[in-house]
PDB file of all heavy atoms in Angstrom:
ATOM      1  N   LEU A 238     136.106  25.085  77.842  1.00 93.00           N
ATOM      2  CA  LEU A 238     135.665  25.543  76.525  1.00 93.00           C
ATOM      3  C   LEU A 238     136.863  25.997  75.680  1.00 93.00           C
ATOM      4  O   LEU A 238     136.955  25.693  74.490  1.00 93.00           O
ATOM      5  CB  LEU A 238     134.669  26.685  76.667  1.00 93.00           C
ATOM      6  CG  LEU A 238     133.278  26.320  77.214  1.00 93.00           C
ATOM      7  CD1 LEU A 238     132.509  27.582  77.594  1.00 93.00           C
ATOM      8  CD2 LEU A 238     132.483  25.514  76.177  1.00 93.00           C
ATOM      9  N   GLY A 239     137.787  26.704  76.328  1.00 91.00           N
ATOM     10  CA  GLY A 239     138.981  27.160  75.633  1.00 91.00           C
ATOM     11  C   GLY A 239     139.889  26.015  75.249  1.00 91.00           C
ATOM     12  O   GLY A 239     140.438  25.971  74.135  1.00 91.00           O
ATOM     13  N   MET A 240     140.066  25.061  76.158  1.00 89.00           N
ATOM     14  CA  MET A 240     140.942  23.921  75.894  1.00 89.00           C
ATOM     15  C   MET A 240     140.448  23.118  74.691  1.00 89.00           C
ATOM     16  O   MET A 240     141.237  22.666  73.862  1.00 89.00           O
ATOM     17  CB  MET A 240     141.017  23.012  77.126  1.00 89.00           C
ATOM     18  CG  MET A 240     141.905  21.800  76.937  1.00 89.00           C
ATOM     19  SD  MET A 240     141.817  20.646  78.331  1.00 89.00           S
ATOM     20  CE  MET A 240     142.417  21.672  79.662  1.00 89.00           C
ATOM     21  N   MET A 241     139.126  22.961  74.593  1.00 89.00           N
ATOM     22  CA  MET A 241     138.539  22.179  73.508  1.00 89.00           C
ATOM     23  C   MET A 241     138.223  23.022  72.270  1.00 89.00           C
ATOM     24  O   MET A 241     137.691  22.506  71.290  1.00 89.00           O
ATOM     25  CB  MET A 241     137.246  21.501  73.999  1.00 89.00           C
ATOM     26  CG  MET A 241     137.471  20.523  75.119  1.00 89.00           C
ATOM     27  SD  MET A 241     138.526  19.142  74.598  1.00 89.00           S
ATOM     28  CE  MET A 241     138.794  18.350  76.185  1.00 89.00           C
ATOM     29  N   ARG A 242     138.506  24.311  72.354  1.00 88.00           N
ATOM     30  CA  ARG A 242     138.257  25.233  71.250  1.00 88.00           C
ATOM     31  C   ARG A 242     136.788  25.239  70.813  1.00 88.00           C
ATOM     32  O   ARG A 242     136.458  25.170  69.633  1.00 88.00           O
ATOM     33  CB  ARG A 242     139.181  24.926  70.059  1.00 88.00           C
ATOM     34  CG  ARG A 242     140.658  25.025  70.406  1.00 88.00           C
ATOM     35  CD  ARG A 242     141.535  25.029  69.165  1.00 88.00           C
ATOM     36  NE  ARG A 242     141.389  23.817  68.381  1.00 88.00           N
ATOM     37  CZ  ARG A 242     142.018  22.665  68.639  1.00 88.00           C
ATOM     38  NH1 ARG A 242     142.841  22.591  69.682  1.00 88.00           N
ATOM     39  NH2 ARG A 242     141.849  21.613  67.877  1.00 88.00           N
ATOM     40  N   ILE A 243     135.910  25.278  71.810  1.00 92.00           N
ATOM     41  CA  ILE A 243     134.469  25.291  71.532  1.00 92.00           C
ATOM     42  C   ILE A 243     133.791  26.455  72.280  1.00 92.00           C
ATOM     43  O   ILE A 243     132.630  26.371  72.650  1.00 92.00           O
ATOM     44  CB  ILE A 243     133.802  23.955  71.920  1.00 92.00           C
ATOM     45  CG1 ILE A 243     134.139  23.570  73.372  1.00 92.00           C
ATOM     46  CG2 ILE A 243     134.205  22.840  70.957  1.00 92.00           C
ATOM     47  CD1 ILE A 243     133.392  22.339  73.870  1.00 92.00           C
ATOM     48  N   GLU A 244     134.538  27.543  72.458  1.00 94.00           N
ATOM     49  CA  GLU A 244     133.985  28.689  73.193  1.00 94.00           C
ATOM     50  C   GLU A 244     132.683  29.199  72.582  1.00 94.00           C
ATOM     51  O   GLU A 244     131.749  29.556  73.300  1.00 94.00           O
ATOM     52  CB  GLU A 244     134.997  29.845  73.245  1.00 94.00           C
ATOM     53  CG  GLU A 244     136.319  29.497  73.929  1.00 94.00           C
ATOM     54  CD  GLU A 244     137.406  29.119  72.938  1.00 94.00           C
ATOM     55  OE1 GLU A 244     137.078  28.415  71.958  1.00 94.00           O
ATOM     56  OE2 GLU A 244     138.566  29.514  73.140  1.00 94.00           O
ATOM     57  N   LYS A 245     132.601  29.192  71.247  1.00 94.00           N
ATOM     58  CA  LYS A 245     131.425  29.735  70.565  1.00 94.00           C
ATOM     59  C   LYS A 245     130.192  28.836  70.706  1.00 94.00           C
ATOM     60  O   LYS A 245     129.084  29.241  70.336  1.00 94.00           O
ATOM     61  CB  LYS A 245     131.729  29.964  69.090  1.00 94.00           C
ATOM     62  CG  LYS A 245     132.802  31.028  68.853  1.00 94.00           C
ATOM     63  CD  LYS A 245     133.087  31.214  67.372  1.00 94.00           C
ATOM     64  CE  LYS A 245     134.148  32.282  67.145  1.00 94.00           C
ATOM     65  NZ  LYS A 245     134.462  32.460  65.691  1.00 94.00           N
ATOM     66  N   LEU A 246     130.401  27.639  71.244  1.00 95.00           N
ATOM     67  CA  LEU A 246     129.283  26.700  71.371  1.00 95.00           C
ATOM     68  C   LEU A 246     128.678  26.694  72.772  1.00 95.00           C
ATOM     69  O   LEU A 246     127.755  25.925  73.042  1.00 95.00           O
ATOM     70  CB  LEU A 246     129.754  25.280  71.031  1.00 95.00           C
ATOM     71  CG  LEU A 246     130.429  25.068  69.676  1.00 95.00           C
ATOM     72  CD1 LEU A 246     130.858  23.615  69.525  1.00 95.00           C
ATOM     73  CD2 LEU A 246     129.503  25.474  68.541  1.00 95.00           C
ATOM     74  N   ALA A 247     129.169  27.541  73.650  1.00 95.00           N
ATOM     75  CA  ALA A 247     128.800  27.464  75.067  1.00 95.00           C
ATOM     76  C   ALA A 247     127.296  27.447  75.305  1.00 95.00           C
ATOM     77  O   ALA A 247     126.797  26.704  76.171  1.00 95.00           O
ATOM     78  CB  ALA A 247     129.443  28.627  75.825  1.00 95.00           C
ATOM     79  N   ASP A 248     126.534  28.220  74.558  1.00 95.00           N
ATOM     80  CA  ASP A 248     125.097  28.354  74.810  1.00 95.00           C
ATOM     81  C   ASP A 248     124.240  27.493  73.886  1.00 95.00           C
ATOM     82  O   ASP A 248     123.006  27.584  73.908  1.00 95.00           O
ATOM     83  CB  ASP A 248     124.682  29.824  74.676  1.00 95.00           C
ATOM     84  CG  ASP A 248     125.370  30.705  75.717  1.00 95.00           C
ATOM     85  OD1 ASP A 248     125.543  30.234  76.861  1.00 95.00           O
ATOM     86  OD2 ASP A 248     125.750  31.845  75.381  1.00 95.00           O
ATOM     87  N   ARG A 249     124.860  26.646  73.088  1.00 94.00           N
ATOM     88  CA  ARG A 249     124.090  25.808  72.177  1.00 94.00           C
ATOM     89  C   ARG A 249     123.532  24.578  72.899  1.00 94.00           C
ATOM     90  O   ARG A 249     124.112  24.072  73.861  1.00 94.00           O
ATOM     91  CB  ARG A 249     124.957  25.349  71.001  1.00 94.00           C
ATOM     92  CG  ARG A 249     125.228  26.436  69.998  1.00 94.00           C
ATOM     93  CD  ARG A 249     125.731  25.829  68.707  1.00 94.00           C
ATOM     94  NE  ARG A 249     126.255  26.846  67.800  1.00 94.00           N
ATOM     95  CZ  ARG A 249     126.820  26.577  66.641  1.00 94.00           C
ATOM     96  NH1 ARG A 249     126.950  25.326  66.249  1.00 94.00           N
ATOM     97  NH2 ARG A 249     127.271  27.555  65.879  1.00 94.00           N
ATOM     98  N   ARG A 250     122.414  24.074  72.362  1.00 93.00           N
ATOM     99  CA  ARG A 250     121.857  22.817  72.855  1.00 93.00           C
ATOM    100  C   ARG A 250     122.637  21.666  72.212  1.00 93.00           C
ATOM    101  O   ARG A 250     123.237  21.806  71.142  1.00 93.00           O
ATOM    102  CB  ARG A 250     120.380  22.690  72.507  1.00 93.00           C
ATOM    103  CG  ARG A 250     119.492  23.765  73.115  1.00 93.00           C
ATOM    104  CD  ARG A 250     118.022  23.370  72.953  1.00 93.00           C
ATOM    105  NE  ARG A 250     117.728  22.905  71.587  1.00 93.00           N
ATOM    106  CZ  ARG A 250     117.369  23.710  70.593  1.00 93.00           C
ATOM    107  NH1 ARG A 250     117.267  25.020  70.800  1.00 93.00           N
ATOM    108  NH2 ARG A 250     117.111  23.214  69.391  1.00 93.00           N
ATOM    109  N   ILE A 251     122.588  20.518  72.854  1.00 93.00           N
ATOM    110  CA  ILE A 251     123.333  19.357  72.379  1.00 93.00           C
ATOM    111  C   ILE A 251     122.864  18.915  70.997  1.00 93.00           C
ATOM    112  O   ILE A 251     123.669  18.494  70.150  1.00 93.00           O
ATOM    113  CB  ILE A 251     123.216  18.199  73.393  1.00 93.00           C
ATOM    114  CG1 ILE A 251     123.830  18.609  74.745  1.00 93.00           C
ATOM    115  CG2 ILE A 251     123.904  16.948  72.864  1.00 93.00           C
ATOM    116  CD1 ILE A 251     125.265  19.075  74.672  1.00 93.00           C
ATOM    117  N   ASP A 252     121.549  19.035  70.727  1.00 90.00           N
ATOM    118  CA  ASP A 252     121.044  18.587  69.429  1.00 90.00           C
ATOM    119  C   ASP A 252     121.445  19.509  68.279  1.00 90.00           C
ATOM    120  O   ASP A 252     121.172  19.230  67.116  1.00 90.00           O
ATOM    121  CB  ASP A 252     119.524  18.402  69.460  1.00 90.00           C
ATOM    122  CG  ASP A 252     118.779  19.694  69.784  1.00 90.00           C
ATOM    123  OD1 ASP A 252     119.422  20.764  69.872  1.00 90.00           O
ATOM    124  OD2 ASP A 252     117.545  19.625  69.952  1.00 90.00           O
ATOM    125  N   GLN A 253     122.107  20.605  68.597  1.00 93.00           N
ATOM    126  CA  GLN A 253     122.598  21.527  67.572  1.00 93.00           C
ATOM    127  C   GLN A 253     124.071  21.277  67.228  1.00 93.00           C
ATOM    128  O   GLN A 253     124.649  22.018  66.431  1.00 93.00           O
ATOM    129  CB  GLN A 253     122.430  22.981  68.051  1.00 93.00           C
ATOM    130  CG  GLN A 253     120.971  23.400  68.254  1.00 93.00           C
ATOM    131  CD  GLN A 253     120.864  24.801  68.832  1.00 93.00           C
ATOM    132  OE1 GLN A 253     121.524  25.125  69.821  1.00 93.00           O
ATOM    133  NE2 GLN A 253     120.037  25.637  68.220  1.00 93.00           N
ATOM    134  N   LEU A 254     124.655  20.236  67.805  1.00 92.00           N
ATOM    135  CA  LEU A 254     126.086  19.978  67.643  1.00 92.00           C
ATOM    136  C   LEU A 254     126.335  18.818  66.686  1.00 92.00           C
ATOM    137  O   LEU A 254     125.527  17.891  66.569  1.00 92.00           O
ATOM    138  CB  LEU A 254     126.722  19.632  68.998  1.00 92.00           C
ATOM    139  CG  LEU A 254     126.556  20.638  70.136  1.00 92.00           C
ATOM    140  CD1 LEU A 254     127.260  20.108  71.382  1.00 92.00           C
ATOM    141  CD2 LEU A 254     127.095  22.004  69.742  1.00 92.00           C
ATOM    142  N   SER A 255     127.489  18.865  66.016  1.00 90.00           N
ATOM    143  CA  SER A 255     127.943  17.744  65.201  1.00 90.00           C
ATOM    144  C   SER A 255     128.522  16.664  66.123  1.00 90.00           C
ATOM    145  O   SER A 255     128.735  16.885  67.320  1.00 90.00           O
ATOM    146  CB  SER A 255     129.019  18.206  64.223  1.00 90.00           C
ATOM    147  OG  SER A 255     130.199  18.570  64.936  1.00 90.00           O
ATOM    148  N   GLY A 256     128.821  15.502  65.523  1.00 87.00           N
ATOM    149  CA  GLY A 256     129.393  14.417  66.313  1.00 87.00           C
ATOM    150  C   GLY A 256     130.723  14.790  66.940  1.00 87.00           C
ATOM    151  O   GLY A 256     130.983  14.488  68.105  1.00 87.00           O
ATOM    152  N   GLY A 257     131.587  15.461  66.170  1.00 88.00           N
ATOM    153  CA  GLY A 257     132.876  15.863  66.711  1.00 88.00           C
ATOM    154  C   GLY A 257     132.743  16.878  67.834  1.00 88.00           C
ATOM    155  O   GLY A 257     133.485  16.841  68.820  1.00 88.00           O
ATOM    156  N   GLN A 258     131.789  17.797  67.707  1.00 90.00           N
ATOM    157  CA  GLN A 258     131.560  18.789  68.760  1.00 90.00           C
ATOM    158  C   GLN A 258     131.041  18.118  70.028  1.00 90.00           C
ATOM    159  O   GLN A 258     131.459  18.456  71.134  1.00 90.00           O
ATOM    160  CB  GLN A 258     130.582  19.845  68.265  1.00 90.00           C
ATOM    161  CG  GLN A 258     131.165  20.751  67.180  1.00 90.00           C
ATOM    162  CD  GLN A 258     130.112  21.607  66.488  1.00 90.00           C
ATOM    163  OE1 GLN A 258     128.913  21.296  66.527  1.00 90.00           O
ATOM    164  NE2 GLN A 258     130.545  22.676  65.839  1.00 90.00           N
ATOM    165  N   ARG A 259     130.142  17.151  69.876  1.00 90.00           N
ATOM    166  CA  ARG A 259     129.628  16.432  71.045  1.00 90.00           C
ATOM    167  C   ARG A 259     130.752  15.680  71.755  1.00 90.00           C
ATOM    168  O   ARG A 259     130.783  15.626  72.984  1.00 90.00           O
ATOM    169  CB  ARG A 259     128.531  15.447  70.615  1.00 90.00           C
ATOM    170  CG  ARG A 259     127.276  16.131  70.107  1.00 90.00           C
ATOM    171  CD  ARG A 259     126.198  15.121  69.766  1.00 90.00           C
ATOM    172  NE  ARG A 259     125.087  15.760  69.078  1.00 90.00           N
ATOM    173  CZ  ARG A 259     123.908  15.196  68.861  1.00 90.00           C
ATOM    174  NH1 ARG A 259     123.693  13.960  69.276  1.00 90.00           N
ATOM    175  NH2 ARG A 259     122.947  15.841  68.220  1.00 90.00           N
ATOM    176  N   GLN A 260     131.675  15.110  70.967  1.00 88.00           N
ATOM    177  CA  GLN A 260     132.782  14.390  71.569  1.00 88.00           C
ATOM    178  C   GLN A 260     133.656  15.331  72.390  1.00 88.00           C
ATOM    179  O   GLN A 260     134.107  14.976  73.487  1.00 88.00           O
ATOM    180  CB  GLN A 260     133.614  13.711  70.485  1.00 88.00           C
ATOM    181  CG  GLN A 260     134.716  12.817  71.010  1.00 88.00           C
ATOM    182  CD  GLN A 260     134.182  11.764  71.958  1.00 88.00           C
ATOM    183  OE1 GLN A 260     134.198  11.969  73.179  1.00 88.00           O
ATOM    184  NE2 GLN A 260     133.696  10.669  71.437  1.00 88.00           N
ATOM    185  N   ARG A 261     133.883  16.542  71.883  1.00 90.00           N
ATOM    186  CA  ARG A 261     134.684  17.512  72.631  1.00 90.00           C
ATOM    187  C   ARG A 261     133.982  17.929  73.919  1.00 90.00           C
ATOM    188  O   ARG A 261     134.623  18.123  74.960  1.00 90.00           O
ATOM    189  CB  ARG A 261     134.982  18.730  71.752  1.00 90.00           C
ATOM    190  CG  ARG A 261     135.949  18.437  70.618  1.00 90.00           C
ATOM    191  CD  ARG A 261     136.238  19.679  69.790  1.00 90.00           C
ATOM    192  NE  ARG A 261     137.227  19.432  68.762  1.00 90.00           N
ATOM    193  CZ  ARG A 261     136.933  19.049  67.526  1.00 90.00           C
ATOM    194  NH1 ARG A 261     135.666  18.879  67.163  1.00 90.00           N
ATOM    195  NH2 ARG A 261     137.893  18.832  66.636  1.00 90.00           N
ATOM    196  N   VAL A 262     132.659  18.062  73.869  1.00 93.00           N
ATOM    197  CA  VAL A 262     131.895  18.405  75.076  1.00 93.00           C
ATOM    198  C   VAL A 262     132.004  17.276  76.099  1.00 93.00           C
ATOM    199  O   VAL A 262     132.196  17.516  77.292  1.00 93.00           O
ATOM    200  CB  VAL A 262     130.417  18.696  74.736  1.00 93.00           C
ATOM    201  CG1 VAL A 262     129.609  18.924  76.014  1.00 93.00           C
ATOM    202  CG2 VAL A 262     130.305  19.910  73.825  1.00 93.00           C
ATOM    203  N   ALA A 263     131.872  16.037  75.633  1.00 91.00           N
ATOM    204  CA  ALA A 263     131.971  14.893  76.538  1.00 91.00           C
ATOM    205  C   ALA A 263     133.344  14.831  77.203  1.00 91.00           C
ATOM    206  O   ALA A 263     133.459  14.561  78.412  1.00 91.00           O
ATOM    207  CB  ALA A 263     131.691  13.604  75.770  1.00 91.00           C
ATOM    208  N   LEU A 264     134.398  15.093  76.444  1.00 91.00           N
ATOM    209  CA  LEU A 264     135.749  15.117  77.020  1.00 91.00           C
ATOM    210  C   LEU A 264     135.878  16.248  78.041  1.00 91.00           C
ATOM    211  O   LEU A 264     136.438  16.061  79.124  1.00 91.00           O
ATOM    212  CB  LEU A 264     136.786  15.288  75.910  1.00 91.00           C
ATOM    213  CG  LEU A 264     137.164  14.039  75.115  1.00 91.00           C
ATOM    214  CD1 LEU A 264     137.921  14.419  73.847  1.00 91.00           C
ATOM    215  CD2 LEU A 264     138.006  13.103  75.973  1.00 91.00           C
ATOM    216  N   ALA A 265     135.368  17.417  77.684  1.00 92.00           N
ATOM    217  CA  ALA A 265     135.454  18.563  78.587  1.00 92.00           C
ATOM    218  C   ALA A 265     134.729  18.282  79.894  1.00 92.00           C
ATOM    219  O   ALA A 265     135.221  18.614  80.979  1.00 92.00           O
ATOM    220  CB  ALA A 265     134.870  19.806  77.910  1.00 92.00           C
ATOM    221  N   ARG A 266     133.540  17.668  79.808  1.00 93.00           N
ATOM    222  CA  ARG A 266     132.787  17.361  81.029  1.00 93.00           C
ATOM    223  C   ARG A 266     133.540  16.364  81.900  1.00 93.00           C
ATOM    224  O   ARG A 266     133.564  16.481  83.128  1.00 93.00           O
ATOM    225  CB  ARG A 266     131.409  16.794  80.663  1.00 93.00           C
ATOM    226  CG  ARG A 266     130.518  16.574  81.886  1.00 93.00           C
ATOM    227  CD  ARG A 266     129.158  16.036  81.511  1.00 93.00           C
ATOM    228  NE  ARG A 266     129.249  14.695  80.924  1.00 93.00           N
ATOM    229  CZ  ARG A 266     128.195  14.005  80.497  1.00 93.00           C
ATOM    230  NH1 ARG A 266     126.982  14.553  80.554  1.00 93.00           N
ATOM    231  NH2 ARG A 266     128.348  12.802  79.986  1.00 93.00           N
ATOM    232  N   ALA A 267     134.184  15.370  81.260  1.00 92.00           N
ATOM    233  CA  ALA A 267     134.886  14.336  82.023  1.00 92.00           C
ATOM    234  C   ALA A 267     136.084  14.888  82.774  1.00 92.00           C
ATOM    235  O   ALA A 267     136.372  14.457  83.893  1.00 92.00           O
ATOM    236  CB  ALA A 267     135.322  13.214  81.081  1.00 92.00           C
ATOM    237  N   ILE A 268     136.804  15.848  82.172  1.00 91.00           N
ATOM    238  CA  ILE A 268     138.030  16.333  82.822  1.00 91.00           C
ATOM    239  C   ILE A 268     137.804  17.610  83.627  1.00 91.00           C
ATOM    240  O   ILE A 268     138.709  18.051  84.344  1.00 91.00           O
ATOM    241  CB  ILE A 268     139.155  16.556  81.797  1.00 91.00           C
ATOM    242  CG1 ILE A 268     138.777  17.628  80.785  1.00 91.00           C
ATOM    243  CG2 ILE A 268     139.513  15.261  81.109  1.00 91.00           C
ATOM    244  CD1 ILE A 268     139.874  17.926  79.787  1.00 91.00           C
ATOM    245  N   ALA A 269     136.602  18.179  83.536  1.00 92.00           N
ATOM    246  CA  ALA A 269     136.329  19.426  84.278  1.00 92.00           C
ATOM    247  C   ALA A 269     136.480  19.221  85.782  1.00 92.00           C
ATOM    248  O   ALA A 269     136.877  20.144  86.503  1.00 92.00           O
ATOM    249  CB  ALA A 269     134.931  19.941  83.957  1.00 92.00           C
TER     250      ALA A 269
END
């Protein structure tokens, strides 16, 4: 979350995210 600078999004649902935010989540999941 820190690496992708999306700490404030931790508890949000996916449908509440923009396209760029979803891309950062997908990257974070892949490298976790």
Side-chain angles (χ1 to χ4, degrees):
L238 289 167
M240 180 187 298
M241 298 297 171
R242 301 193 299 278
I243 52 174
E244 300 97 320
K245 295 179 180 179
L246 305 179
D248 297 323
R249 286 196 191 176
R250 298 192 314 272
I251 298 304
D252 61 6
Q253 296 175 311
L254 304 180
S255 68
Q258 290 168 340
R259 293 183 189 192
Q260 186 55 265
R261 290 181 176 91
V262 175
L264 280 166
R266 185 179 65 181
I268 63 178

